[in-house]
Amino acid sequence: MARLKVRGFEIHKGFLSVEAQQALIHALRPVLRAAPLFSPDVPGGGQMSVRMTSAGRFGWYSDKSGYRYIEQHPSGQAWPEIPSDVLRVWTDLVDRDRMPDCCLFNYYGEGARMGLHQDKDEADFSYPVVSISLGDDGLLRMGGTARKEKTESIWLNSGDVVVMGGDARLAYHGVDRIRFRSSRLLPKGGRVNLTLRVVT
Ligand code: SIN
Ligand code: MN
């Protein structure tokens, strides 16, 4: 395991062993059954290439009218609970009084990407966002708090965990591309990214 810091992003390379990665995937199966992946519409028109769902009290959602947290899956059901194995990653890395109340599950299939954005719809930016990468490699681009600032990129591999806190909490970030089928963790390939957030 190696820890590096790039533009304030704390990157824990190889934080999760292969066994721990498999355990997370196993723990997430019931989440996907209760709250199936969907392709959100985006305000500008079109759909995200990433498919998503959530666990926890709040889930991330977007449609033509904007981006927001909502308390139900689009089906109308409450989001499932965040699996304890996922919460353990937070308690291992974050020394704070609260647990996350949202775990966003992003699935990147072949060709999926995520544009440069900030995570800024939470009430208290003193809590970090913790991001867990599983499956195929993804190229994370990291910038500063203004969109025009210079960016740096790093390949995230399965088992890497990134903590976006402090100066990096409101930094721009995105995923330019994945290397489809670079990992054997997910039988059908693709990349899963989990982000843990304190929303309220
Ligand atoms: C996100 O910003 O929500 C996802 C980041 C990632 O997929 O690594
Ligand atoms: Mn984000």
Side-chain angles (χ1 to χ4, degrees):
M1 196 180 98
R3 200 179 118 175
L4 37 144
K5 209 150 185 180
V6 181
R7 309 217 49 169
F9 290 69
E10 231 178 71
I11 302 167
H12 300 260
K13 297 294 292 177
F15 187 77
L16 299 167
S17 66
V18 174
E19 294 72 31
Q21 296 166 39
Q22 286 165 342
L24 281 187
I25 292 296
H26 184 74
L28 289 162
R29 283 215 186 94
V31 169
L32 291 173
R33 271 199 296 276
L37 293 170
F38 57 93
S39 303
D41 289 328
V42 291
Q47 275 187 333
M48 280 198 197
S49 59
V50 169
R51 294 199 292 149
M52 58 179 61
T53 190
S54 293
R57 178 161 167 222
F58 299 98
W60 185 241
Y61 185 71
S62 74
D63 60 16
K64 287 182 199 69
S65 59
Y67 295 93
R68 60 201 176 273
Y69 286 102
I70 58 174
E71 293 191 53
Q72 285 101 26
H73 184 272
S75 69
Q77 298 260 38
W79 303 103
E81 278 184 30
I82 305 176
S84 56
D85 285 1
V86 176
L87 292 174
R88 197 162 312 122
V89 178
W90 175 275
T91 49
D92 282 349
L93 289 170
V94 180
D95 190 17
R96 290 297 302 270
D97 53 332
R98 280 183 63 183
M99 297 297 273
D101 47 18
C102 171
C103 172
L104 171 63
F105 181 118
N106 284 142
Y107 176 75
Y108 296 73
E110 193 170 9
R113 56 186 302 280
M114 185 172 293
L116 208 61
H117 67 278
Q118 293 169 292
D119 291 1
K120 57 172 186 191
D121 289 271
E122 301 74 30
D124 185 345
F125 301 130
S126 72
Y127 292 98
V129 170
V130 170
S131 151
I132 303 169
S133 291
L134 297 166
D136 290 340
D137 304 340
L139 185 60
L140 176 71
R141 183 189 288 271
M142 296 159 284
T145 51
R147 185 180 281 277
K148 60 176 194 301
E149 276 178 60
K150 195 170 117 308
T151 62
E152 280 178 63
S153 297
I154 188 169
W155 280 101
L156 295 178
N157 312 111
S158 194
D160 292 352
V161 178
V162 180
V163 180
M164 294 183 271
D167 290 345
R169 177 61 183 80
L170 288 169
Y172 276 87
H173 58 281
V175 175
D176 289 344
R177 59 179 188 276
I178 69 161
R179 285 185 185 126
F180 190 63
R181 293 273 185 207
S182 53
S183 158
R184 292 171 61 180
L185 186 72
L186 307 173
K188 293 179 187 158
R191 171 172 186 262
V192 169
N193 176 262
L194 305 174
T195 44
L196 298 171
R197 299 118 182 265
V198 172
V199 173
T200 55

PDB file of all heavy atoms in Angstrom, residues 16 24-25 28 31-32 53-55 82-83 85-87 89 102-108 129-134 160-162 164 191-197:
ATOM      1  N   LEU A  16      -7.398  -1.676  -0.508  1.00  0.00           N
ATOM      2  CA  LEU A  16      -8.196  -2.888  -0.288  1.00  0.00           C
ATOM      3  C   LEU A  16      -7.528  -4.086  -0.958  1.00  0.00           C
ATOM      4  O   LEU A  16      -7.189  -4.023  -2.147  1.00  0.00           O
ATOM      5  CB  LEU A  16      -9.595  -2.714  -0.881  1.00  0.00           C
ATOM      6  CG  LEU A  16     -10.446  -1.582  -0.292  1.00  0.00           C
ATOM      7  CD1 LEU A  16     -11.657  -1.314  -1.178  1.00  0.00           C
ATOM      8  CD2 LEU A  16     -10.889  -1.932   1.126  1.00  0.00           C
ATOM      9  N   LEU A  24     -16.573  -6.591  -0.868  1.00  0.00           N
ATOM     10  CA  LEU A  24     -17.407  -5.411  -1.140  1.00  0.00           C
ATOM     11  C   LEU A  24     -18.383  -5.689  -2.278  1.00  0.00           C
ATOM     12  O   LEU A  24     -19.564  -5.348  -2.186  1.00  0.00           O
ATOM     13  CB  LEU A  24     -16.535  -4.203  -1.499  1.00  0.00           C
ATOM     14  CG  LEU A  24     -15.850  -3.456  -0.360  1.00  0.00           C
ATOM     15  CD1 LEU A  24     -15.168  -2.207  -0.889  1.00  0.00           C
ATOM     16  CD2 LEU A  24     -16.859  -3.065   0.713  1.00  0.00           C
ATOM     17  N   ILE A  25     -17.888  -6.288  -3.340  1.00  0.00           N
ATOM     18  CA  ILE A  25     -18.765  -6.600  -4.479  1.00  0.00           C
ATOM     19  C   ILE A  25     -19.905  -7.512  -4.023  1.00  0.00           C
ATOM     20  O   ILE A  25     -21.074  -7.308  -4.373  1.00  0.00           O
ATOM     21  CB  ILE A  25     -17.954  -7.252  -5.631  1.00  0.00           C
ATOM     22  CG1 ILE A  25     -16.975  -6.219  -6.232  1.00  0.00           C
ATOM     23  CG2 ILE A  25     -18.860  -7.847  -6.708  1.00  0.00           C
ATOM     24  CD1 ILE A  25     -17.637  -5.021  -6.894  1.00  0.00           C
ATOM     25  N   LEU A  28     -22.457  -5.622  -2.089  1.00  0.00           N
ATOM     26  CA  LEU A  28     -23.218  -4.652  -2.890  1.00  0.00           C
ATOM     27  C   LEU A  28     -24.307  -5.300  -3.737  1.00  0.00           C
ATOM     28  O   LEU A  28     -25.203  -4.613  -4.229  1.00  0.00           O
ATOM     29  CB  LEU A  28     -22.269  -3.863  -3.799  1.00  0.00           C
ATOM     30  CG  LEU A  28     -21.375  -2.865  -3.047  1.00  0.00           C
ATOM     31  CD1 LEU A  28     -20.189  -2.455  -3.907  1.00  0.00           C
ATOM     32  CD2 LEU A  28     -22.175  -1.630  -2.615  1.00  0.00           C
ATOM     33  N   VAL A  31     -27.749  -4.501  -2.628  1.00  0.00           N
ATOM     34  CA  VAL A  31     -28.035  -3.076  -2.884  1.00  0.00           C
ATOM     35  C   VAL A  31     -28.553  -2.923  -4.311  1.00  0.00           C
ATOM     36  O   VAL A  31     -29.564  -2.255  -4.567  1.00  0.00           O
ATOM     37  CB  VAL A  31     -26.772  -2.208  -2.658  1.00  0.00           C
ATOM     38  CG1 VAL A  31     -26.978  -0.788  -3.169  1.00  0.00           C
ATOM     39  CG2 VAL A  31     -26.384  -2.207  -1.177  1.00  0.00           C
ATOM     40  N   LEU A  32     -27.880  -3.582  -5.252  1.00  0.00           N
ATOM     41  CA  LEU A  32     -28.290  -3.468  -6.663  1.00  0.00           C
ATOM     42  C   LEU A  32     -29.644  -4.121  -6.920  1.00  0.00           C
ATOM     43  O   LEU A  32     -30.397  -3.675  -7.788  1.00  0.00           O
ATOM     44  CB  LEU A  32     -27.227  -4.087  -7.572  1.00  0.00           C
ATOM     45  CG  LEU A  32     -25.918  -3.301  -7.631  1.00  0.00           C
ATOM     46  CD1 LEU A  32     -24.877  -4.069  -8.419  1.00  0.00           C
ATOM     47  CD2 LEU A  32     -26.145  -1.933  -8.256  1.00  0.00           C
ATOM     48  N   THR A  53     -26.703   4.263  -8.880  1.00  0.00           N
ATOM     49  CA  THR A  53     -27.707   4.057  -7.857  1.00  0.00           C
ATOM     50  C   THR A  53     -27.071   4.510  -6.544  1.00  0.00           C
ATOM     51  O   THR A  53     -25.939   4.998  -6.542  1.00  0.00           O
ATOM     52  CB  THR A  53     -28.204   2.597  -7.809  1.00  0.00           C
ATOM     53  OG1 THR A  53     -29.355   2.527  -6.947  1.00  0.00           O
ATOM     54  CG2 THR A  53     -27.135   1.638  -7.291  1.00  0.00           C
ATOM     55  N   SER A  54     -27.796   4.377  -5.435  1.00  0.00           N
ATOM     56  CA  SER A  54     -27.243   4.816  -4.150  1.00  0.00           C
ATOM     57  C   SER A  54     -27.712   3.912  -3.029  1.00  0.00           C
ATOM     58  O   SER A  54     -28.685   3.161  -3.175  1.00  0.00           O
ATOM     59  CB  SER A  54     -27.695   6.248  -3.825  1.00  0.00           C
ATOM     60  OG  SER A  54     -27.145   7.190  -4.726  1.00  0.00           O
ATOM     61  N   ALA A  55     -27.012   4.030  -1.906  1.00  0.00           N
ATOM     62  CA  ALA A  55     -27.445   3.436  -0.648  1.00  0.00           C
ATOM     63  C   ALA A  55     -27.330   4.524   0.407  1.00  0.00           C
ATOM     64  O   ALA A  55     -26.588   5.493   0.228  1.00  0.00           O
ATOM     65  CB  ALA A  55     -26.575   2.235  -0.289  1.00  0.00           C
ATOM     66  N   ILE A  82     -26.428   1.355   3.644  1.00  0.00           N
ATOM     67  CA  ILE A  82     -25.032   1.237   3.198  1.00  0.00           C
ATOM     68  C   ILE A  82     -24.437  -0.002   3.880  1.00  0.00           C
ATOM     69  O   ILE A  82     -24.493  -0.112   5.108  1.00  0.00           O
ATOM     70  CB  ILE A  82     -24.218   2.486   3.581  1.00  0.00           C
ATOM     71  CG1 ILE A  82     -24.881   3.763   3.025  1.00  0.00           C
ATOM     72  CG2 ILE A  82     -22.768   2.352   3.079  1.00  0.00           C
ATOM     73  CD1 ILE A  82     -24.184   5.064   3.446  1.00  0.00           C
ATOM     74  N   PRO A  83     -23.888  -0.946   3.121  1.00  0.00           N
ATOM     75  CA  PRO A  83     -23.326  -2.159   3.738  1.00  0.00           C
ATOM     76  C   PRO A  83     -22.209  -1.820   4.737  1.00  0.00           C
ATOM     77  O   PRO A  83     -21.425  -0.891   4.519  1.00  0.00           O
ATOM     78  CB  PRO A  83     -22.773  -2.950   2.543  1.00  0.00           C
ATOM     79  CG  PRO A  83     -23.507  -2.431   1.348  1.00  0.00           C
ATOM     80  CD  PRO A  83     -23.796  -0.986   1.642  1.00  0.00           C
ATOM     81  N   ASP A  85     -19.474  -3.307   5.379  1.00  0.00           N
ATOM     82  CA  ASP A  85     -18.111  -3.409   4.820  1.00  0.00           C
ATOM     83  C   ASP A  85     -17.697  -2.104   4.127  1.00  0.00           C
ATOM     84  O   ASP A  85     -16.505  -1.766   4.081  1.00  0.00           O
ATOM     85  CB  ASP A  85     -18.032  -4.532   3.769  1.00  0.00           C
ATOM     86  CG  ASP A  85     -18.014  -5.913   4.404  1.00  0.00           C
ATOM     87  OD1 ASP A  85     -18.076  -5.999   5.641  1.00  0.00           O
ATOM     88  OD2 ASP A  85     -17.937  -6.904   3.643  1.00  0.00           O
ATOM     89  N   VAL A  86     -18.676  -1.423   3.557  1.00  0.00           N
ATOM     90  CA  VAL A  86     -18.386  -0.144   2.889  1.00  0.00           C
ATOM     91  C   VAL A  86     -18.125   0.930   3.945  1.00  0.00           C
ATOM     92  O   VAL A  86     -17.170   1.719   3.836  1.00  0.00           O
ATOM     93  CB  VAL A  86     -19.558   0.257   1.956  1.00  0.00           C
ATOM     94  CG1 VAL A  86     -19.316   1.631   1.337  1.00  0.00           C
ATOM     95  CG2 VAL A  86     -19.774  -0.801   0.867  1.00  0.00           C
ATOM     96  N   LEU A  87     -18.954   0.935   4.994  1.00  0.00           N
ATOM     97  CA  LEU A  87     -18.776   1.933   6.057  1.00  0.00           C
ATOM     98  C   LEU A  87     -17.427   1.779   6.753  1.00  0.00           C
ATOM     99  O   LEU A  87     -16.847   2.756   7.237  1.00  0.00           O
ATOM    100  CB  LEU A  87     -19.908   1.803   7.091  1.00  0.00           C
ATOM    101  CG  LEU A  87     -21.299   2.202   6.580  1.00  0.00           C
ATOM    102  CD1 LEU A  87     -22.358   1.893   7.632  1.00  0.00           C
ATOM    103  CD2 LEU A  87     -21.338   3.683   6.202  1.00  0.00           C
ATOM    104  N   VAL A  89     -14.586   1.276   5.443  1.00  0.00           N
ATOM    105  CA  VAL A  89     -13.553   2.050   4.727  1.00  0.00           C
ATOM    106  C   VAL A  89     -13.558   3.493   5.241  1.00  0.00           C
ATOM    107  O   VAL A  89     -12.501   4.099   5.449  1.00  0.00           O
ATOM    108  CB  VAL A  89     -13.778   1.988   3.197  1.00  0.00           C
ATOM    109  CG1 VAL A  89     -12.747   2.831   2.464  1.00  0.00           C
ATOM    110  CG2 VAL A  89     -13.756   0.542   2.701  1.00  0.00           C
ATOM    111  N   CYS A 102     -24.813   8.948   2.520  1.00  0.00           N
ATOM    112  CA  CYS A 102     -25.016   8.592   1.105  1.00  0.00           C
ATOM    113  C   CYS A 102     -23.819   7.800   0.615  1.00  0.00           C
ATOM    114  O   CYS A 102     -22.666   8.161   0.878  1.00  0.00           O
ATOM    115  CB  CYS A 102     -25.159   9.843   0.225  1.00  0.00           C
ATOM    116  SG  CYS A 102     -25.167   9.500  -1.554  1.00  0.00           S
ATOM    117  N   CYS A 103     -24.110   6.705  -0.061  1.00  0.00           N
ATOM    118  CA  CYS A 103     -23.069   5.987  -0.813  1.00  0.00           C
ATOM    119  C   CYS A 103     -23.556   5.950  -2.249  1.00  0.00           C
ATOM    120  O   CYS A 103     -24.490   5.219  -2.582  1.00  0.00           O
ATOM    121  CB  CYS A 103     -22.886   4.575  -0.274  1.00  0.00           C
ATOM    122  SG  CYS A 103     -21.799   3.570  -1.307  1.00  0.00           S
ATOM    123  N   LEU A 104     -22.937   6.770  -3.078  1.00  0.00           N
ATOM    124  CA  LEU A 104     -23.277   6.776  -4.506  1.00  0.00           C
ATOM    125  C   LEU A 104     -22.508   5.656  -5.188  1.00  0.00           C
ATOM    126  O   LEU A 104     -21.307   5.500  -4.975  1.00  0.00           O
ATOM    127  CB  LEU A 104     -22.903   8.139  -5.110  1.00  0.00           C
ATOM    128  CG  LEU A 104     -22.977   8.270  -6.629  1.00  0.00           C
ATOM    129  CD1 LEU A 104     -24.395   8.077  -7.143  1.00  0.00           C
ATOM    130  CD2 LEU A 104     -22.448   9.639  -7.051  1.00  0.00           C
ATOM    131  N   PHE A 105     -23.218   4.878  -5.983  1.00  0.00           N
ATOM    132  CA  PHE A 105     -22.638   3.745  -6.716  1.00  0.00           C
ATOM    133  C   PHE A 105     -22.660   4.126  -8.187  1.00  0.00           C
ATOM    134  O   PHE A 105     -23.735   4.278  -8.774  1.00  0.00           O
ATOM    135  CB  PHE A 105     -23.509   2.511  -6.451  1.00  0.00           C
ATOM    136  CG  PHE A 105     -23.065   1.229  -7.104  1.00  0.00           C
ATOM    137  CD1 PHE A 105     -22.722   0.136  -6.329  1.00  0.00           C
ATOM    138  CD2 PHE A 105     -23.014   1.106  -8.493  1.00  0.00           C
ATOM    139  CE1 PHE A 105     -22.330  -1.069  -6.917  1.00  0.00           C
ATOM    140  CE2 PHE A 105     -22.617  -0.091  -9.084  1.00  0.00           C
ATOM    141  CZ  PHE A 105     -22.294  -1.177  -8.310  1.00  0.00           C
ATOM    142  N   ASN A 106     -21.476   4.318  -8.760  1.00  0.00           N
ATOM    143  CA  ASN A 106     -21.377   4.655 -10.185  1.00  0.00           C
ATOM    144  C   ASN A 106     -20.811   3.454 -10.934  1.00  0.00           C
ATOM    145  O   ASN A 106     -19.774   2.921 -10.539  1.00  0.00           O
ATOM    146  CB  ASN A 106     -20.416   5.826 -10.407  1.00  0.00           C
ATOM    147  CG  ASN A 106     -20.999   7.174 -10.033  1.00  0.00           C
ATOM    148  OD1 ASN A 106     -20.314   8.024  -9.492  1.00  0.00           O
ATOM    149  ND2 ASN A 106     -22.260   7.372 -10.316  1.00  0.00           N
ATOM    150  N   TYR A 107     -21.474   3.080 -12.009  1.00  0.00           N
ATOM    151  CA  TYR A 107     -20.953   1.987 -12.840  1.00  0.00           C
ATOM    152  C   TYR A 107     -20.535   2.537 -14.204  1.00  0.00           C
ATOM    153  O   TYR A 107     -21.340   3.136 -14.919  1.00  0.00           O
ATOM    154  CB  TYR A 107     -21.997   0.874 -13.022  1.00  0.00           C
ATOM    155  CG  TYR A 107     -21.491  -0.197 -13.950  1.00  0.00           C
ATOM    156  CD1 TYR A 107     -20.528  -1.114 -13.517  1.00  0.00           C
ATOM    157  CD2 TYR A 107     -21.912  -0.262 -15.274  1.00  0.00           C
ATOM    158  CE1 TYR A 107     -20.015  -2.066 -14.376  1.00  0.00           C
ATOM    159  CE2 TYR A 107     -21.408  -1.215 -16.144  1.00  0.00           C
ATOM    160  CZ  TYR A 107     -20.448  -2.115 -15.680  1.00  0.00           C
ATOM    161  OH  TYR A 107     -19.928  -3.045 -16.542  1.00  0.00           O
ATOM    162  N   TYR A 108     -19.257   2.317 -14.523  1.00  0.00           N
ATOM    163  CA  TYR A 108     -18.716   2.739 -15.818  1.00  0.00           C
ATOM    164  C   TYR A 108     -18.593   1.504 -16.702  1.00  0.00           C
ATOM    165  O   TYR A 108     -17.736   0.653 -16.464  1.00  0.00           O
ATOM    166  CB  TYR A 108     -17.319   3.336 -15.655  1.00  0.00           C
ATOM    167  CG  TYR A 108     -17.224   4.602 -14.836  1.00  0.00           C
ATOM    168  CD1 TYR A 108     -17.361   4.583 -13.445  1.00  0.00           C
ATOM    169  CD2 TYR A 108     -16.937   5.822 -15.447  1.00  0.00           C
ATOM    170  CE1 TYR A 108     -17.239   5.750 -12.701  1.00  0.00           C
ATOM    171  CE2 TYR A 108     -16.806   6.998 -14.700  1.00  0.00           C
ATOM    172  CZ  TYR A 108     -16.962   6.945 -13.332  1.00  0.00           C
ATOM    173  OH  TYR A 108     -16.834   8.098 -12.590  1.00  0.00           O
ATOM    174  N   VAL A 129     -15.121  13.585   1.106  1.00  0.00           N
ATOM    175  CA  VAL A 129     -15.773  12.566   0.277  1.00  0.00           C
ATOM    176  C   VAL A 129     -14.744  11.455   0.118  1.00  0.00           C
ATOM    177  O   VAL A 129     -13.572  11.725  -0.179  1.00  0.00           O
ATOM    178  CB  VAL A 129     -16.185  13.143  -1.099  1.00  0.00           C
ATOM    179  CG1 VAL A 129     -16.642  12.036  -2.032  1.00  0.00           C
ATOM    180  CG2 VAL A 129     -17.294  14.181  -0.936  1.00  0.00           C
ATOM    181  N   VAL A 130     -15.164  10.225   0.369  1.00  0.00           N
ATOM    182  CA  VAL A 130     -14.256   9.077   0.241  1.00  0.00           C
ATOM    183  C   VAL A 130     -14.703   8.262  -0.966  1.00  0.00           C
ATOM    184  O   VAL A 130     -15.879   7.917  -1.084  1.00  0.00           O
ATOM    185  CB  VAL A 130     -14.276   8.221   1.528  1.00  0.00           C
ATOM    186  CG1 VAL A 130     -13.522   6.907   1.320  1.00  0.00           C
ATOM    187  CG2 VAL A 130     -13.660   8.993   2.698  1.00  0.00           C
ATOM    188  N   SER A 131     -13.763   7.989  -1.853  1.00  0.00           N
ATOM    189  CA  SER A 131     -14.083   7.354  -3.132  1.00  0.00           C
ATOM    190  C   SER A 131     -13.321   6.031  -3.273  1.00  0.00           C
ATOM    191  O   SER A 131     -12.100   5.981  -3.131  1.00  0.00           O
ATOM    192  CB  SER A 131     -13.707   8.355  -4.233  1.00  0.00           C
ATOM    193  OG  SER A 131     -13.338   7.722  -5.411  1.00  0.00           O
ATOM    194  N   ILE A 132     -14.078   4.969  -3.539  1.00  0.00           N
ATOM    195  CA  ILE A 132     -13.519   3.608  -3.600  1.00  0.00           C
ATOM    196  C   ILE A 132     -13.610   3.114  -5.035  1.00  0.00           C
ATOM    197  O   ILE A 132     -14.689   3.145  -5.633  1.00  0.00           O
ATOM    198  CB  ILE A 132     -14.337   2.663  -2.688  1.00  0.00           C
ATOM    199  CG1 ILE A 132     -14.375   3.180  -1.242  1.00  0.00           C
ATOM    200  CG2 ILE A 132     -13.799   1.237  -2.760  1.00  0.00           C
ATOM    201  CD1 ILE A 132     -15.384   2.445  -0.340  1.00  0.00           C
ATOM    202  N   SER A 133     -12.496   2.659  -5.598  1.00  0.00           N
ATOM    203  CA  SER A 133     -12.489   2.160  -6.969  1.00  0.00           C
ATOM    204  C   SER A 133     -12.438   0.637  -6.995  1.00  0.00           C
ATOM    205  O   SER A 133     -11.607   0.027  -6.316  1.00  0.00           O
ATOM    206  CB  SER A 133     -11.271   2.698  -7.733  1.00  0.00           C
ATOM    207  OG  SER A 133     -11.411   4.089  -7.942  1.00  0.00           O
ATOM    208  N   LEU A 134     -13.309   0.030  -7.806  1.00  0.00           N
ATOM    209  CA  LEU A 134     -13.379  -1.428  -7.929  1.00  0.00           C
ATOM    210  C   LEU A 134     -13.502  -1.792  -9.399  1.00  0.00           C
ATOM    211  O   LEU A 134     -14.253  -1.144 -10.141  1.00  0.00           O
ATOM    212  CB  LEU A 134     -14.604  -1.968  -7.181  1.00  0.00           C
ATOM    213  CG  LEU A 134     -14.633  -1.750  -5.659  1.00  0.00           C
ATOM    214  CD1 LEU A 134     -16.029  -2.025  -5.104  1.00  0.00           C
ATOM    215  CD2 LEU A 134     -13.585  -2.627  -4.972  1.00  0.00           C
ATOM    216  N   ASP A 160      -8.059   0.911  -4.927  1.00  0.00           N
ATOM    217  CA  ASP A 160      -7.552   2.235  -4.520  1.00  0.00           C
ATOM    218  C   ASP A 160      -8.687   3.030  -3.864  1.00  0.00           C
ATOM    219  O   ASP A 160      -9.847   2.925  -4.271  1.00  0.00           O
ATOM    220  CB  ASP A 160      -7.037   3.038  -5.729  1.00  0.00           C
ATOM    221  CG  ASP A 160      -5.789   2.444  -6.353  1.00  0.00           C
ATOM    222  OD1 ASP A 160      -5.209   1.495  -5.772  1.00  0.00           O
ATOM    223  OD2 ASP A 160      -5.384   2.935  -7.434  1.00  0.00           O
ATOM    224  N   VAL A 161      -8.315   3.835  -2.880  1.00  0.00           N
ATOM    225  CA  VAL A 161      -9.299   4.690  -2.209  1.00  0.00           C
ATOM    226  C   VAL A 161      -8.766   6.125  -2.203  1.00  0.00           C
ATOM    227  O   VAL A 161      -7.589   6.350  -1.885  1.00  0.00           O
ATOM    228  CB  VAL A 161      -9.570   4.204  -0.766  1.00  0.00           C
ATOM    229  CG1 VAL A 161     -10.552   5.137  -0.057  1.00  0.00           C
ATOM    230  CG2 VAL A 161     -10.127   2.775  -0.769  1.00  0.00           C
ATOM    231  N   VAL A 162      -9.605   7.063  -2.574  1.00  0.00           N
ATOM    232  CA  VAL A 162      -9.210   8.476  -2.621  1.00  0.00           C
ATOM    233  C   VAL A 162     -10.027   9.248  -1.583  1.00  0.00           C
ATOM    234  O   VAL A 162     -11.246   9.083  -1.509  1.00  0.00           O
ATOM    235  CB  VAL A 162      -9.452   9.079  -4.027  1.00  0.00           C
ATOM    236  CG1 VAL A 162      -9.048  10.553  -4.068  1.00  0.00           C
ATOM    237  CG2 VAL A 162      -8.697   8.287  -5.089  1.00  0.00           C
ATOM    238  N   MET A 164     -11.095  12.943  -0.589  1.00  0.00           N
ATOM    239  CA  MET A 164     -11.151  14.339  -1.025  1.00  0.00           C
ATOM    240  C   MET A 164     -11.587  15.168   0.177  1.00  0.00           C
ATOM    241  O   MET A 164     -12.777  15.218   0.507  1.00  0.00           O
ATOM    242  CB  MET A 164     -12.154  14.504  -2.175  1.00  0.00           C
ATOM    243  CG  MET A 164     -11.728  13.787  -3.449  1.00  0.00           C
ATOM    244  SD  MET A 164     -12.900  14.068  -4.807  1.00  0.00           S
ATOM    245  CE  MET A 164     -14.026  12.730  -4.557  1.00  0.00           C
ATOM    246  N   ARG A 191     -16.160  -0.595 -14.453  1.00  0.00           N
ATOM    247  CA  ARG A 191     -15.592  -0.012 -13.235  1.00  0.00           C
ATOM    248  C   ARG A 191     -16.716   0.431 -12.310  1.00  0.00           C
ATOM    249  O   ARG A 191     -17.686   1.057 -12.758  1.00  0.00           O
ATOM    250  CB  ARG A 191     -14.730   1.205 -13.593  1.00  0.00           C
ATOM    251  CG  ARG A 191     -14.257   2.014 -12.407  1.00  0.00           C
ATOM    252  CD  ARG A 191     -13.250   3.089 -12.835  1.00  0.00           C
ATOM    253  NE  ARG A 191     -12.704   3.749 -11.668  1.00  0.00           N
ATOM    254  CZ  ARG A 191     -13.137   4.915 -11.178  1.00  0.00           C
ATOM    255  NH1 ARG A 191     -14.118   5.553 -11.794  1.00  0.00           N
ATOM    256  NH2 ARG A 191     -12.601   5.436 -10.109  1.00  0.00           N
ATOM    257  N   VAL A 192     -16.563   0.117 -11.037  1.00  0.00           N
ATOM    258  CA  VAL A 192     -17.486   0.604 -10.015  1.00  0.00           C
ATOM    259  C   VAL A 192     -16.741   1.635  -9.182  1.00  0.00           C
ATOM    260  O   VAL A 192     -15.596   1.415  -8.766  1.00  0.00           O
ATOM    261  CB  VAL A 192     -17.974  -0.545  -9.109  1.00  0.00           C
ATOM    262  CG1 VAL A 192     -18.720  -0.009  -7.890  1.00  0.00           C
ATOM    263  CG2 VAL A 192     -18.878  -1.506  -9.894  1.00  0.00           C
ATOM    264  N   ASN A 193     -17.379   2.790  -8.972  1.00  0.00           N
ATOM    265  CA  ASN A 193     -16.833   3.754  -8.039  1.00  0.00           C
ATOM    266  C   ASN A 193     -17.896   4.048  -6.981  1.00  0.00           C
ATOM    267  O   ASN A 193     -19.043   4.338  -7.315  1.00  0.00           O
ATOM    268  CB  ASN A 193     -16.429   5.055  -8.748  1.00  0.00           C
ATOM    269  CG  ASN A 193     -15.944   6.094  -7.750  1.00  0.00           C
ATOM    270  OD1 ASN A 193     -16.680   6.983  -7.341  1.00  0.00           O
ATOM    271  ND2 ASN A 193     -14.708   5.948  -7.302  1.00  0.00           N
ATOM    272  N   LEU A 194     -17.493   3.926  -5.733  1.00  0.00           N
ATOM    273  CA  LEU A 194     -18.385   4.254  -4.621  1.00  0.00           C
ATOM    274  C   LEU A 194     -17.907   5.547  -4.030  1.00  0.00           C
ATOM    275  O   LEU A 194     -16.709   5.701  -3.766  1.00  0.00           O
ATOM    276  CB  LEU A 194     -18.313   3.176  -3.538  1.00  0.00           C
ATOM    277  CG  LEU A 194     -18.575   1.726  -3.957  1.00  0.00           C
ATOM    278  CD1 LEU A 194     -18.306   0.795  -2.775  1.00  0.00           C
ATOM    279  CD2 LEU A 194     -20.015   1.563  -4.443  1.00  0.00           C
ATOM    280  N   THR A 195     -18.814   6.513  -3.831  1.00  0.00           N
ATOM    281  CA  THR A 195     -18.402   7.704  -3.071  1.00  0.00           C
ATOM    282  C   THR A 195     -19.274   7.828  -1.840  1.00  0.00           C
ATOM    283  O   THR A 195     -20.503   7.759  -1.910  1.00  0.00           O
ATOM    284  CB  THR A 195     -18.439   9.015  -3.887  1.00  0.00           C
ATOM    285  OG1 THR A 195     -19.612   9.097  -4.641  1.00  0.00           O
ATOM    286  CG2 THR A 195     -17.245   9.128  -4.803  1.00  0.00           C
ATOM    287  N   LEU A 196     -18.602   8.003  -0.709  1.00  0.00           N
ATOM    288  CA  LEU A 196     -19.270   8.143   0.583  1.00  0.00           C
ATOM    289  C   LEU A 196     -19.291   9.613   0.941  1.00  0.00           C
ATOM    290  O   LEU A 196     -18.265  10.284   0.900  1.00  0.00           O
ATOM    291  CB  LEU A 196     -18.489   7.354   1.644  1.00  0.00           C
ATOM    292  CG  LEU A 196     -18.426   5.852   1.386  1.00  0.00           C
ATOM    293  CD1 LEU A 196     -17.453   5.182   2.347  1.00  0.00           C
ATOM    294  CD2 LEU A 196     -19.813   5.241   1.525  1.00  0.00           C
ATOM    295  N   ARG A 197     -20.480  10.093   1.290  1.00  0.00           N
ATOM    296  CA  ARG A 197     -20.657  11.522   1.575  1.00  0.00           C
ATOM    297  C   ARG A 197     -21.532  11.727   2.812  1.00  0.00           C
ATOM    298  O   ARG A 197     -22.473  10.983   3.037  1.00  0.00           O
ATOM    299  CB  ARG A 197     -21.405  12.203   0.422  1.00  0.00           C
ATOM    300  CG  ARG A 197     -20.730  12.149  -0.923  1.00  0.00           C
ATOM    301  CD  ARG A 197     -21.576  11.386  -1.937  1.00  0.00           C
ATOM    302  NE  ARG A 197     -20.904  11.282  -3.230  1.00  0.00           N
ATOM    303  CZ  ARG A 197     -21.126  12.132  -4.224  1.00  0.00           C
ATOM    304  NH1 ARG A 197     -21.994  13.095  -4.106  1.00  0.00           N
ATOM    305  NH2 ARG A 197     -20.476  12.013  -5.352  1.00  0.00           N
TER     306      ARG A 197
END
